Structure formats: structure tokens, C-alpha cells
């Protein structure tokens, strides 16, 4: 297993650049594919190649020779690896032993090759035939007293074809229990946008980035999470667009970026400046910050009315396209400046500066990530951001709009084709018409409710279409308790991960094809389709030989499971997987407007864009207009209540990714841009807080969550690292810190776990033995 020397070394270079090129070579060498890897990468995000299995950032209309980024390379290298995890591996290791391995070491064993079943007598996984696996799962499902005792999780990596068949099977089986990764990340976006602008998707395209003169980046770290976005930001900055980064952590990728395809950037060693201004609100302070911006704009607009000069707000847009402007304007006038400054953690002068940048911009894009969504008031924050954008008509015009940046490559497409526990009744009724079935109308479990159901013994079968549920979710100890109570856990996957070891009484590992591999069905090689963050749907074709002849595609696994389980189904499950165009025909029949001429339109390089009415200033709200909404600055949140109890001992913590990971997949033990190498159990802390708490850089602490339910949640042995983060705030990597997030700590309305606002206290401790040895 891996052994890397731990160190902390400040990073002074631009994001990407030579460091990224070095990592490309290192990752291909690590996965033992120096030649195959290069050939694979040349087909990544190309019209006749495969879509990156990593993030959902869109592809350029005219792709360049190299259309990939460092973390995309890591994702592809991990999937195209020469390493294998065959049955012989499992014969050597018990599950108990493997639980002691790191997440990196588990996945670094390589691609799974055979379906495996857990044997409780030996504590090992053993080979099982595919027919045996489907029979076992069908038996468990059909033995349930109620279909709602089954839980069907979906990772955002699954393509449209697999996701549509999956939701159809599950609904025909009789439940809407669809916890998915959207529940854990951008659900706050999905709840905030429909009532305000009529659709839960962003309104911009890459074309808009080419014409924006101002870009506001809230709560995201593109250099690690979606690095190809930096290319668009670099071009915008060089064109003269003003870019403002709003993020508690001072992230290097939001400051400077060296494009590996730019000789100037590479030879100068300085890269290109990205942000004109870097604002660091306290964790959860974005709502107050945006309300402060709105208050300034209303003040300036009121003064313009008095002076008889040009209005600051876009009055024509407001009168034609919006409701409730007067209400939010008066709310802004009455808002208290002291409260705004205290709750945002941003000086008044900086709030005025960013407000003036926004007010003088003609075409403004606002982007955001999970730094906005994973707070108790995440929905309210996004609605307030919508208010800001509506004030100057910055939705539905060229170079302007809303840009929620999604995570996994097809998380948005999954939701479009039905992976949602509360799909609109129109969609459900269309399923009934097209397939001559009855489907349940009662909402099912989201991710948090699914965990609680398993804990309570109400969720008895867990099926995961990809992902790493036990590690992606909050309250790790309790999540594991729930999963271990299940009668059956089954996971569709490409590689071994922690969730396969946190298993039910019966358990299956079902290995599938990866995005990079040729998917050959009865009529020949098949393509699958995905929808990116900007609603572009395009086709993806694998180019590599499958890692094992026993691998099945995700659509084939779903169809064969449905065929085995639904003995009297009228749906021709085994027929439609012979040719995936038949699945797309069924999607089109179910959603004829959104997927008109589906099979024809994906033949166009780059695919087609899904309908996004807000992009055209069509507002699918009950009023037919975009809605301004009044949102109060929270002052009685769990953070406020905990601070009343613990005073300045109380810290607010956010979970975050290291640069060597994507979601729960750990590619290595380094976080280059933050200067962390060979380790992951670190906590980033303001140097003034370190001194105030009687600590020093390099000390070790335990993290203890504060929640009023009598349950002790802790994460022990974390190295204190001095970092540019607001006082009172901490940051640490997930999944190591996920246990600190109480299951009940969720965002209002969206029920997203509040992984960016965890109240914790610190306990000083001694270094772990491994650290002493190092």
C-alpha cells in the first residue's frame, strides 16, 4: 500500500502550468498506461470520443487538440488503468482487513473484473455469476413487504440511457425512493431557481462567457473541481472582464492560472491573473454579503431618482419581467448595515466595492458551487443572488446569467430523465401512458431520509448505481449503522471503494464498463448521452477494450435486473439494450418537447441544448414573471445557538476536496495548491485563531461536532495548518470530516446536508504514531 512522506510546503506558483503537466505524466505512470493513457486522452471531450467521467463543465463548440484538464486526466487514468482487482485479490483479504486500508489504497488496486458476493462465514467476497447475482437481487426485492423498503441510489456519472431505464424500473417496481448525489450537493439550487426564474437550471452557455464583462464567482474552487473553467476565466480576464472571487478560502486557482496550452503562460512562470478582487466572507456569510450589495444598489438608485439621473436598476426589465421589486427594495432600505457586516464578515468598504463592480457591469454572470448550497440557508442565499441579478436585467441576455456549476458529469442529465424522488406529476403520467403501467405518485426518500430509513429498519435493500454512498453522505457512523442493517446492499461500480465494505447481511459488487470503454451490444458499439452544467446534451463513445470480458454496461445491468424482478412487465427490457437508440426513442416519447428528434440531434458535433426558458426571458412561474423574494439574514441558526453556548471556542467548519480527489475518489495524498503533501488529516485555520487557542502551526487537534441531540461526533488527530481563512472558520477534507455533519443538519427546503457550516470545538491532542514515525 501507499507510503508518501508528509510535509507542508507553501505553494507560490499559478494553478495548472508545469505542475499540472508533471501530474499528467505521474498519473499515467501510476496507472501503468504511459502510451494507452496518451491515446485515450486525445479522444477525451472530442466529438467522436468520450465525455470526461469527471466534472460537468461543458465542452467547447470547436474543441482544441487537448480538451482535458489535470483532474480529468486523473479520472480517465484511474478508469483506463492497467491494474486489476480480480477474485484472487478478494481471496487474500477479508473485509475486516480491507476496512483498515485507506480510500486511496482501495481504489488504487485497479478495475474490478468479476461480480462478487459477500460470504459472511469467511468475511470475504467470492465470485458469483451474473445470472446468480440478478436472481439474488430479484429474490430480495420481491420478498419485501412493501416496495418502499427498497432504496435506489444514483451517482451523477450514470448516462441518460442507464438513468432513464433505472427510474422506469424502480417506478414500475413501485417506489420513488431515489436518493442521488444532487440531494447532497446542488439540491438547494434545484429548489431556489424554479419558484424565482421557472427552471432549476443555469441560464448561461459558454458563449455567454465570451461576452461577459463581469463575472462573480461564489463559493467554488475551479482549479480543483472543474479546472477547464479556468480557461474561460483566463480568456475573459485577458479581454478585460472584471472577475470577483467570493470564497472563504484564498484559493490559488482563483488568483492566477497558467494555461498548459499557452506558451506565454508556461514560459513566463507567472501565468495569467484571474480575479481583480478576492472577497472572503465568513462561512455562511454570502447571503448577508449579497443583501449588502442589493442595499447599496437600491441606495444609489434612490439617489438617482432624487437627482433625476439615469437609474441604477433596469426599470424596463423589472416592469416587464418581474414581480415584487418594491417589496425587496423596501426590505433592502430597512436592512441594518451592522448586521450585514457582522454576518457577512466582510468590511463595508469591500461590500461597496463589489456592489459598484456589479452596478457598473453591463453583462454579468454569477456562478456558484457547493460553498453556497451546503448551508442551512442555501436556498435563501441563491434566491437573494437571483434578486441581485434581476435588479439589472442580468438574466436572459447575451453575456449574462445564472451559472450553477454542477459536479459529476451527468448529474444534471440524471435529474432531467427522472432521477428525483419528487418528479412532477406530468412526467409520471407520461410514463404511465407510454409504458402502460401504474407508477407511485407519493414522494420517495431523498439521501438523508434514506439513511434514516435504514437506521430505523425501514430500508432493507440498498442498490447503488455507481458512487460511494457511505462516504459521500453525512454522519458517517450513523450512515454505516444503517447500511449494515440492510438485508442486501448491491453496488454497480468500476473499482473497489469503502461502501462495498460497509455492507448488508447479503452484499454484491457488480462491475460495469467505464465511460472510456467500448460498449458492444447485439447491434454493435453503442454511444451514451450526457447533459452538462449548461444543458448541452451530447453523445459519448468509448474507445478502449473493456477491462474484463465479464463487465456489463450500466444499461444492461439495469435492464437485466428489471427483467429478473418484474416477471410480468410489458417493457421489453432485454430488447431495448440491443440498440441504445431504442432507449432514446423511449425518452423522447416520454418527454417529446425536451428530447425532440433525440437520435438525430446528437449526431451534430457538440449535440444540442435542452430547453432553458429563462435564457429567453420566459418565466415558467405561476405568475409568468421572474419573482423577487425577501430573504432574512439568519440570526438564529444552529451556528448562532452553538456560539451562545461556547462563545469564541466555537468554530464553523467546512468540508472540502483536496486537489488529488474528485468527489469521494482519492487520486493521491497531495493538495498541491494549498501546500499539503503526503497526508489528508489536516485542518486549515487562521493564524490569529491558532495563537488565540494556545496552539502552534503543526500541533494536533481533535474536532468535536456541536449538536443538541446527545450524540458524540468527532474526528480525531488532525494537523493544524495555518491558512488564509476568516477568523472563526476552519476547513478540512471530506470524507475524513463527514462524521462531524449531523444527519439532521440540513438546508431549509432542500434538505442538503450542511457540510459547509459545521459547528465544532477543538481539543488539543498528541500526534498519531504514524506521524511521529515520519
Amino acid at each position: 500500500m501507499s507510503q508518501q512522506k508528509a510535509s507542508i510546503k507553501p505553494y507560490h506558483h499559478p494553478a495548472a502550468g508545469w505542475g499540472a503537466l508533471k501530474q499528467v505524466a505521474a498519473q499515467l505512470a501510476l496507472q501503468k498506461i504511459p502510451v494507452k493513457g496518451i491515446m485515450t486522452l486525445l479522444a477525451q471531450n472530442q466529438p467522436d470520443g468520450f465525455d470526461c467521467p469527471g466534472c460537468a463543465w461543458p465542452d467547447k463548440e470547436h474543441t482544441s487538440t487537448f480538451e482535458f484538464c489535470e483532474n480529468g486526466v486523473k479520472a480517465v487514468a484511474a478508469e483506463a488503468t492497467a491494474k486489476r482487482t480480480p477474485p484472487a485479490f478478494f481471496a487474500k483479504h477479508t473485509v475486516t482487513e480491507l476496512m483498515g486500508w485507506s480510500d486511496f489504497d482501495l481504489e488504487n488496486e485497479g478495475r474490478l473484473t468479476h461480480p462478487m458476493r459477500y460470504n459472511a462465514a469467511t468475511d470475504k467476497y467470492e465470485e458469483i455469476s451474473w445470472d446468480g447475482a440478478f436472481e439474488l437481487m430479484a429474490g430480495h426485492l420481491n420478498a419485501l413487504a412493501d416496495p418502499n423498503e427498497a432504496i435506489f441510489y444514483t451517482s451523477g456519472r450514470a448516462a441518460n440511457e442507464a438513468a432513464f431505464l433505472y427510474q422506469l424500473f424502480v417506478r414500475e417496481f413501485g417506489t420513488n425512493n431515489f436518493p442521488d448525489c444532487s440531494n447532497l450537493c446542488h439540491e438547494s439550487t434545484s429548489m431556489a431557481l424554479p419558484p424565482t426564474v421557472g427552471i432549476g437550471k443555469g441560464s448561461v452557455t459558454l458563449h455567454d462567457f465570451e461576452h461577459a464583462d463581469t463575472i462573480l464567482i461564489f463559493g467554488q474552487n475551479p482549479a480543483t473541481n472543474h479546472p477547464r473553467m479556468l480557461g474561460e476565466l483566463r480568456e475573459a480576464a485577458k479581454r478585460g472582464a472584471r472577475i470577483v472571487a467570493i470564497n472563504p478560502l484564498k484559493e490559488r486557482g482563483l488568483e492566477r492560472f497558467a494555461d498548459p496550452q499557452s506558451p506565454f503562460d508556461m514560459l513566463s512562470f507567472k501565468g495569467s491573473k484571474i480575479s481583480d478582487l478576492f472577497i472572503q466572507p465568513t462561512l455562511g456569510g454570502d447571503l448577508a454579503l449579497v443583501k449588502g450589495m442589493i442595499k447599496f444598489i437600491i441606495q444609489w438608485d434612490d439617489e438617482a431618482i432624487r437627482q433625476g439621473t439615469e437609474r441604477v436598476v433596469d426599470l424596463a426589465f423589472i416592469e416587464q419581467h418581474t414581480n415584487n421589486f418594491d417589496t425587496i427594495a423596501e426590505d433592502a432600505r430597512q436592512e441594518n448595515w451592522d448586521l450585514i457586516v457582522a454576518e457577512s464578515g466582510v468590511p463595508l468598504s469591500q461590500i461597496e466595492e463589489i456592489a459598484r463592480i456589479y452596478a457598473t457591469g453591463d453583462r454579468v454572470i454569477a456562478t456558484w458551487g457547493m460553498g453556497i448550497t451546503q448551508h442551512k440557508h442555501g436556498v435563501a442565499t441563491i434566491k437573494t443572488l437571483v434578486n441581485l441579478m434581476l435588479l439589472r436585467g442580468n438574466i436572459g441576455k447575451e453575456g449574462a446569467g445564472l451559472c450553477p456549476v454542477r459536479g459529476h458529469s451527468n448529474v444534471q442529465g440524471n435529474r432531467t430523465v427522472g432521477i428525483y424522488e419528487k418528479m412532477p406529476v406530468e412526467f409520471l403520467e407520461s410514463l404511465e401512458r407510454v409504458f402502460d403501467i401504474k407508477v407511485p405518485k407519493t414522494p420517495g426518500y431523498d439521501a438523508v431520509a434514506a439513511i434514516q430509513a435504514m437506521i430505523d429498519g425501514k430500508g432493507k435493500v440498498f442498490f447503488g448505481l455507481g458512487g460511494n454512498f457511505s462516504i459521500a453522505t453525512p454522519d458517517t457512523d450513523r450512515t454505516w449503522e444503517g447500511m449494515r442493517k440492510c438485508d442486501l446492499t448491491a453496488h454497480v461500480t468500476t473499482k473497489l471503494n469503502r461502501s462495498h465494505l460497509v455492507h448488508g447481511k447479503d452484499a454484491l459488487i457488480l462491475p460495469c464498463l467505464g465511460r472510456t470503454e467500448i460498449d458492444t451490444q447485439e447491434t454493435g458499439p453503442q454511444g451514451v448521452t450526457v447533459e452538462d452544467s449548461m444543458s448541452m446534451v451530447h453523445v459519448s463513445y468509448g474507445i478502449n477494450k473493456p477491462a474484463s470480458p465479464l463487465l456489463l454496461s450500466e444499461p444492461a445491468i439495469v435492464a437485466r435486473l428489471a427483467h429478473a424482478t418484474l416477471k410480468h412487465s410489458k417493457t421489453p427490457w432485454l430488447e431495448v439494450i440491443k440498440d441504445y437508440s431504442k432507449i432514446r426513442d423511449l425518452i423522447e416519447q416520454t418527454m417529446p418537447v425536451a428530447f425532440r428528434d433525440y437520435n438525430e440531434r446528437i449526431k451534430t458535433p457538440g449535440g444540442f441544448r435542452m430547453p432553458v426558458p429563462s435564457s429567453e426571458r420566459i418565466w415558467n412561474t405561476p405568475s409568468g414573471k421572474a419573482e423577487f423574494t425577501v430573504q432574512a439574514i439568519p440570526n438564529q441558526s444552529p451556528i448562532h445557538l452553538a456560539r451562545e453556548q461556547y462563545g469564541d471556542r466555537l468554530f464553523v467548519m467546512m468540508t472540502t476536496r483536496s486537489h488529488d480527489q474528485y468527489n469521494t475518489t482519492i487520486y493521491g495524498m497531495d493538495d498541491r495548491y494549498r501546500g499539503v503533501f503526503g497526508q489528508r488529516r489536516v485542518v486549515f485555520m487562521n493564524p490569529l485563531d491558532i495563537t488565540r487557542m494556545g496552539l502552534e502551526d503543526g500541533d494536533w487537534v481533535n474536532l468535536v461536532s456541536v449538536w443538541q441531540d446527545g450524540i458524540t461526533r468527532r474526528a480525531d488527530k488532525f494537523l493544524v495548518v495555518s491558512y488564509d481563512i476568516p477568523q472563526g472558520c476552519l476547513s478540512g477534507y471530506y470524507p475524513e470530516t463527514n462524521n462531524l455533519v449531523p444527519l439532521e443538519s440540513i438546508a431549509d427546503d432542500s434538505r442538503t446536508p450542511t457540510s459547509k457550516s459545521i459547528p465544532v470545538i477543538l481539543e488539543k491532542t498528541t500526534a498519531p504514531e504514524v506521524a511521529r514515525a515520519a
Side-chain angles (χ1 to χ4, degrees), residues 82-200:
K83 300 178 182 179
R84 299 290 182 264
T85 310
F89 169 84
F90 292 98
K92 295 177 182 177
H93 306 287
T94 65
V95 166
T96 302
E97 177 196 346
L98 292 173
M99 277 296 291
W101 288 30
S102 71
D103 295 297
F104 168 76
D105 288 318
L106 290 172
E107 297 210 22
N108 195 44
E109 283 298 312
R111 293 290 300 277
L112 294 157
T113 60
H114 293 66
M116 306 295 293
R117 179 185 183 183
Y118 180 67
N119 184 337
T122 61
D123 191 31
K124 293 179 179 179
Y125 274 98
E126 299 172 353
E127 185 178 353
I128 185 175
S129 68
W130 276 109
D131 285 343
F134 291 124
E135 182 181 353
L136 179 67
M137 289 185 286
H140 274 282
L141 289 171
N142 288 324
L144 295 174
D146 185 331
N148 291 308
E149 293 178 334
I151 293 166
F152 297 90
Y153 177 69
T154 319
S155 157
R157 200 199 67 135
N160 285 351
E161 291 76 10
F164 181 79
L165 289 184
Y166 189 49
Q167 65 80 31
L168 176 62
F169 156 57
V170 173
R171 290 192 164 100
E172 188 170 345
F173 177 68
T175 184
N176 283 311
N177 287 346
F178 282 111
D180 74 327
C181 54
S182 284
N183 297 153
L184 304 173
C185 56
H186 262 287
E187 199 67 74
S188 294
T189 298
S190 300
M191 295 301 295
L193 294 186
T196 54
V197 297
I199 186 171

Side-chain angles (χ1 to χ4, degrees), residues 310-352:
E310 184 178 353
R311 296 282 295 268
V312 179
V313 303
D314 187 339
L315 187 61
F317 171 85
I318 289 171
E319 290 180 343
Q320 181 179 353
H321 290 285
T322 73
N323 272 334
N324 300 320
F325 167 70
D326 290 340
T327 304
I328 70 104
E330 184 58 28
D331 175 70
R333 296 184 189 104
Q334 298 300 319
E335 194 62 84
N336 182 277
W337 276 123
D338 290 339
L339 178 65
I340 288 172
V341 171
E343 291 299 327
S344 69
V346 179
L348 186 61
S349 61
Q350 284 194 348
I351 300 176
E352 181 175 8

Side-chain angles (χ1 to χ4, degrees), residues 120-406:
T122 61
D123 191 31
K124 293 179 179 179
Y125 274 98
E126 299 172 353
E127 185 178 353
I128 185 175
S129 68
W130 276 109
D131 285 343
F134 291 124
E135 182 181 353
L136 179 67
M137 289 185 286
H140 274 282
L141 289 171
N142 288 324
L144 295 174
D146 185 331
N148 291 308
E149 293 178 334
I151 293 166
F152 297 90
Y153 177 69
T154 319
S155 157
R157 200 199 67 135
N160 285 351
E161 291 76 10
F164 181 79
L165 289 184
Y166 189 49
Q167 65 80 31
L168 176 62
F169 156 57
V170 173
R171 290 192 164 100
E172 188 170 345
F173 177 68
T175 184
N176 283 311
N177 287 346
F178 282 111
D180 74 327
C181 54
S182 284
N183 297 153
L184 304 173
C185 56
H186 262 287
E187 199 67 74
S188 294
T189 298
S190 300
M191 295 301 295
L193 294 186
T196 54
V197 297
I199 186 171
K201 299 182 180 184
S203 65
V204 303
T205 66
L206 286 184
H207 174 82
D208 292 308
F209 274 82
E210 295 172 1
H211 294 272
D213 59 40
T214 307
I215 301 173
L216 308 179
I217 307 171
F218 287 89
Q220 60 182 129
N221 178 20
T224 289
N225 300 334
H226 24 266
R228 285 188 296 143
M229 180 181 180
L230 289 178
E232 305 304 324
L233 297 178
R234 173 183 177 272
E235 291 304 311
K238 293 178 83 67
R239 194 178 66 246
R242 292 171 296 180
I243 299 176
V244 182
I246 305 103
N247 199 65
L249 284 172
K250 199 71 169 289
E251 300 287 17
R252 192 56 173 157
L254 290 169
E255 296 179 297
R256 301 197 73 84
F257 165 63
D259 187 346
Q261 296 192 53
S262 166
F264 176 82
D265 279 8
M266 298 299 284
L267 294 175
S268 71
F269 293 94
K270 294 181 180 179
S272 301
K273 185 181 78 167
I274 298 297
S275 300
D276 298 277
L277 180 64
F278 207 120
I279 303 289
Q280 292 179 267
T282 190
L283 285 166
D286 300 270
L287 193 157
L289 170 63
V290 176
K291 286 205 78 172
M293 295 171 66
I294 293 172
K295 184 174 176 68
F296 268 118
I297 289 168
I298 296 300
Q299 285 183 351
W300 296 333
D301 190 61
D302 288 345
E303 182 63 22
I305 294 173
R306 288 191 292 269
Q307 297 291 333
T309 56
E310 184 178 353
R311 296 282 295 268
V312 179
V313 303
D314 187 339
L315 187 61
F317 171 85
I318 289 171
E319 290 180 343
Q320 181 179 353
H321 290 285
T322 73
N323 272 334
N324 300 320
F325 167 70
D326 290 340
T327 304
I328 70 104
E330 184 58 28
D331 175 70
R333 296 184 189 104
Q334 298 300 319
E335 194 62 84
N336 182 277
W337 276 123
D338 290 339
L339 178 65
I340 288 172
V341 171
E343 291 299 327
S344 69
V346 179
L348 186 61
S349 61
Q350 284 194 348
I351 300 176
E352 181 175 8
E353 185 177 8
I354 186 177
R356 198 169 298 280
I357 289 174
Y358 175 74
T360 55
D362 183 52
R363 299 179 301 280
V364 184
I365 291 174
T367 82
W368 67 92
M370 286 182 284
I372 295 294
T373 63
Q374 291 182 324
H375 291 278
K376 180 172 173 57
H377 50 280
V379 173
T381 302
I382 297 167
K383 288 183 175 181
T384 306
L385 185 53
V386 170
N387 289 344
L388 176 71
M389 297 293 281
L390 291 175
L391 283 176
R392 289 182 49 78
N394 275 309
I395 304 177
K397 70 178 180 182
E398 185 180 58
L402 304 171
C403 183
V405 182
R406 307 278 178 171

